[in-house]
Amino acid sequence: FLNRVIKQLINQLKPNSDKKVIYITVGGTNSLSDVLTKAFSKHDIEFITVLENWDNMSSKAVFQNPPKKIGVWGEQSVKFGSLIHSIDPETIIPIGNPRIEWLLRNVNKSPSPRNIFFGGGSVNLELEMVYLASAIKIAKNTGSIVEYLPHPKSYKHIEKLIKDVSSENLKVLGNYTNKIETDSANLPKLDIYIDPFENCKVLTSPLSTMHLEASLLGIPSIALDISTKINLPDNKISDRHDHIHDIRDTEVFYFIENVEEYEKLLKSL
């Protein structure tokens, strides 16, 4: 099947034109990057891969056949490409993140924001609900709203769990009632982030790219360094992911490891 698709793609390239392909991928163990790189290289076609996630080079990317150029978010990924994949740093180029550029252009912060923007994670939904309940409690006391955006990987279970924390101070965002199983059908569109970012006083979420986005938008953010479901002594998110280690000491956002500490900080913010 892949051979047929690749043959069709190669046939689309016009004779005597610049032969260059840019491939955007989220990486992962089932990535097509290797297959595509190898196939296009045989036809003397320059193949450039752009990685569109923060953690691609540390936890997702698979490069048996590294392309000649790789576009990444920043210098951290250049380091991981060299250390983990043994790729020549000269071939890894920081190009930034178009998603963050879009948010910076389109989010106009309210002069008096009141809400809590709670971004869902994918590592421990049951524990996340405990933190969400705490956020709702604080929202009730301050007359604000928690706008909760579940992670698409949680959509199968979120309706049942949300009933336990249902409140007039809770607004659930996203297409979480969609029964379509494919990730692309469920991914929240960028437009959905505008209102909660514009009207939130603080963002809170298990460690994610949303913390980087909030920081660039001038919004205080609380990173929930919660336990994963991996049965090991060091099982917090920051224990399991190399790309988090470098940012822990930068003071870009707050790191929280328990509910008591979370409630105290959220109240003060």
Side-chain angles (χ1 to χ4, degrees):
F1 172 77
L2 276 177
N3 285 333
R4 292 201 306 269
V5 172
I6 290 169
K7 187 176 180 180
Q8 289 177 357
L9 289 172
I10 291 171
N11 289 338
Q12 295 297 315
L13 296 171
K14 297 176 181 178
N16 305 319
S17 65
D18 290 336
K19 294 186 176 181
K20 183 178 294 186
V21 173
I22 297 178
Y23 171 59
I24 301 173
T25 177
V26 295
T29 53
N30 62 345
S31 173
L32 303 179
S33 301
D34 281 330
V35 178
L36 292 171
T37 304
K38 190 173 183 179
F40 281 109
S41 297
K42 286 181 179 178
H43 291 80
D44 195 29
I45 297 168
E46 185 177 4
F47 190 75
I48 301 167
T49 296
V50 175
L51 301 179
E52 64 100 47
N53 273 5
W54 181 19
D55 59 346
N56 270 135
M57 295 302 282
S58 64
S59 66
K60 289 185 179 179
V62 178
F63 288 115
Q64 182 71 23
N65 300 295
K68 291 183 179 179
K69 289 182 182 176
I70 305 171
V72 295
W73 280 24
E75 294 293 341
Q76 187 190 56
S77 293
V78 178
K79 181 184 75 171
F80 286 140
S82 177
L83 290 175
I84 297 174
H85 301 277
S86 299
I87 298 173
D88 182 355
E90 294 295 320
T91 68
I92 308 174
I93 305 166
I95 61 173
N97 174 7
R99 171 191 169 97
I100 289 179
E101 294 288 340
W102 187 91
L103 288 169
L104 288 171
R105 287 197 305 269
N106 289 279
V107 173
N108 299 305
K109 283 292 296 171
S110 166
S112 55
R114 295 184 54 81
N115 294 339
I116 300 167
F117 188 7
F118 195 118
S122 63
V123 298
N124 191 331
L125 185 57
E126 290 77 14
L127 183 55
E128 182 178 303
M129 290 295 106
V130 176
Y131 283 91
L132 179 60
S134 293
I136 294 169
K137 180 174 70 175
I138 292 169
K140 288 179 179 178
N141 293 336
T142 57
S144 57
I145 298 292
V146 176
E147 296 198 76
Y148 175 52
L149 181 63
H151 193 285
K153 288 184 178 179
S154 304
Y155 283 178
K156 293 179 184 177
H157 313 286
I158 202 69
E159 281 189 272
K160 181 180 178 182
L161 292 174
I162 281 292
K163 290 178 182 177
D164 295 332
V165 293
S166 179
S167 167
E168 61 183 13
N169 297 83
L170 174 66
K171 179 181 178 182
V172 185
L173 309 171
N175 199 19
Y176 65 98
T177 58
N178 191 347
K179 303 304 180 185
I180 300 174
E181 296 292 328
T182 57
D183 287 342
S184 59
N186 287 332
L187 286 175
K189 302 294 186 277
L190 271 178
D191 287 355
I192 206 171
Y193 292 83
I194 293 179
D195 178 75
F197 268 136
E198 287 184 340
N199 295 293
C200 73
K201 185 82 171 178
V202 59
L203 173 124
T204 180
S205 172
L207 283 156
S208 75
T209 55
M210 292 181 69
H211 295 294
L212 301 179
E213 294 162 0
S215 297
L216 287 168
L217 292 167
I219 302 167
S221 63
I222 303 174
L224 309 178
D225 195 9
I226 64 178
S227 300
T228 69
K229 292 186 176 180
I230 299 171
N231 190 23
L232 290 171
D234 299 326
N235 72 344
K236 285 187 165 56
I237 297 174
S238 64
D239 296 326
R240 309 310 307 161
H241 295 291
D242 291 330
H243 67 292
I244 300 296
H245 296 169
D246 284 2
I247 207 165
R248 276 212 67 141
D249 299 324
T250 62
E251 298 184 355
V252 173
F253 40 75
Y254 301 96
F255 274 74
I256 292 298
E257 296 185 353
N258 60 68
V259 176
E260 292 76 18
E261 191 179 357
Y262 173 68
E263 288 193 10
K264 183 177 180 181
L265 177 58
L266 190 56
K267 285 178 183 176
S268 70
L269 291 172

